[in-house]
Amino acid sequence: AQSVSQHNHHVILSEAASLELGCNYSYGGTVNLFWYVQYPGQHLQLLLKYFSGDPLVKGIKGFEAEFIKSKFSFNLRKPSVQWSDTAEYFCAVSQTGANNLFFGTGTRLTVIP
Amino acid sequence: KAGVTQTPRYLIKTRGQQVTLSCSPISGHRSVSWYQQTPGQGLQFLFEYFSETQRNKGNFPGRFSGRQFSNSRSEMNVSTLELGDSALYLCASSRVGTNEQFFGPGTRLTVL
């Protein structure tokens, strides 16, 4: 069965600090990978996605993620966080072409001004 | 283009009752998926509908069911509600040929 692990439950950073959130998945086949963000009081929004090709993908708001197939990882990065990045971040995986997403438990990011 | 809409936004029911939640996908999207979000279990996939047919199903009991109409709108139904069904129910839609899903705001169900 597919599973997704996000090892950081709560991360607290000061503005301008660099961010890296870990995501590891378990699945033997070809996968699509996603990072979603949920800002306080808002619905889930797609930050970025990996379907195929260049393993370094860039998303909205300066976020990027790197797919490392050998490590089954898809870590999210941002060089300099802002207070407005305070939110909960979810990593998700699906079998290629399927619409049933498996989500990690989420990482709550708090950015201190 | 309007996003995914879900109605109602909030519901309070008592144990044993049944509930129906509604989801209108983004115009042109034909796939609708449902998810349950709880503090303990996180986000879990319920089922997906495409062209009025259930295409995928998660690991939930038969009390959870759904359907999709010809205009791609979808409903999910939970019968014989239990306290543990209290959750945020999210609907997501996607276009044909992509599994990039767009989420609605959710329906917050509280079972007393």
Side-chain angles (χ1 to χ4, degrees):
Chain A
Q2 297 180 44
S3 67
V4 180
S5 298
Q6 291 182 246
H7 306 295
N8 313 102
H9 295 294
H10 190 190
V11 173
I12 303 173
L13 295 172
S14 298
E15 272 191 320
S18 64
L19 169 73
E20 181 159 3
L21 300 182
C23 173
N24 289 92
Y25 67 94
S26 171
Y27 182 68
T30 307
V31 296
N32 295 148
L33 296 156
F34 308 82
W35 276 97
Y36 281 87
V37 61
Q38 192 168 33
Y39 297 104
Q42 296 187 30
H43 57 275
L44 276 168
Q45 299 174 39
L46 181 67
L47 263 183
L48 48 78
K49 61 185 184 287
Y50 173 79
F51 286 174
S52 64
D54 189 343
L56 184 63
V57 293
K58 295 191 184 300
I60 60 171
K61 304 187 181 186
F63 287 91
E64 65 178 31
E66 185 175 13
F67 170 51
I68 303 180
K69 189 175 181 179
S70 61
K71 295 185 178 180
F72 296 91
S73 71
F74 190 55
N75 292 353
L76 181 71
R77 300 194 292 248
K78 186 172 184 178
S80 176
V81 295
Q82 301 173 308
W83 175 79
S84 57
D85 293 324
T86 295
E88 187 143 19
Y89 293 80
F90 295 91
C91 180
V93 63
S94 70
Q95 183 181 354
T96 297
N99 278 332
N100 51 328
L101 289 171
F102 289 83
F103 282 89
T105 51
T107 297
R108 186 154 62 100
L109 171 66
T110 301
V111 180
I112 301 169
Chain B
K1 191 182 265 191
V4 177
T5 58
Q6 294 186 244
T7 57
R9 293 293 310 279
Y10 301 92
L11 264 180
I12 299 175
K13 293 286 187 178
T14 57
R15 278 181 301 174
Q17 287 187 308
Q18 70 143 18
V19 68
T20 299
L21 313 181
S22 180
C23 171
S24 292
I26 292 171
S27 177
H29 288 196
R30 290 171 56 192
S31 167
V32 174
S33 298
W34 289 89
Y35 295 83
Q36 182 196 65
Q37 186 176 23
T38 60
Q41 300 297 318
L43 279 150
Q44 293 184 286
F45 171 76
L46 280 156
F47 30 64
E48 181 212 1
Y49 285 86
F50 177 79
S51 291
E52 302 178 64
T53 302
Q54 188 179 86
R55 190 159 68 170
N56 274 303
K57 188 178 188 306
N59 189 26
F60 278 81
R63 299 185 297 107
F64 292 81
S65 63
R67 60 178 176 168
Q68 187 180 34
F69 302 94
S70 58
N71 61 358
S72 295
R73 191 176 70 84
S74 177
E75 290 181 345
M76 68 163 280
N77 183 278
V78 189
S79 62
T80 320
L81 284 166
E82 300 177 0
L83 294 179
D85 297 333
S86 293
L88 181 66
Y89 290 89
L90 296 170
C91 168
S93 72
S94 63
R95 288 182 291 111
V96 172
T98 173
N99 60 339
E100 178 178 340
Q101 294 183 50
F102 294 83
F103 283 81
T107 294
R108 173 77 60 187
L109 171 65
T110 301
V111 182
L112 303 176

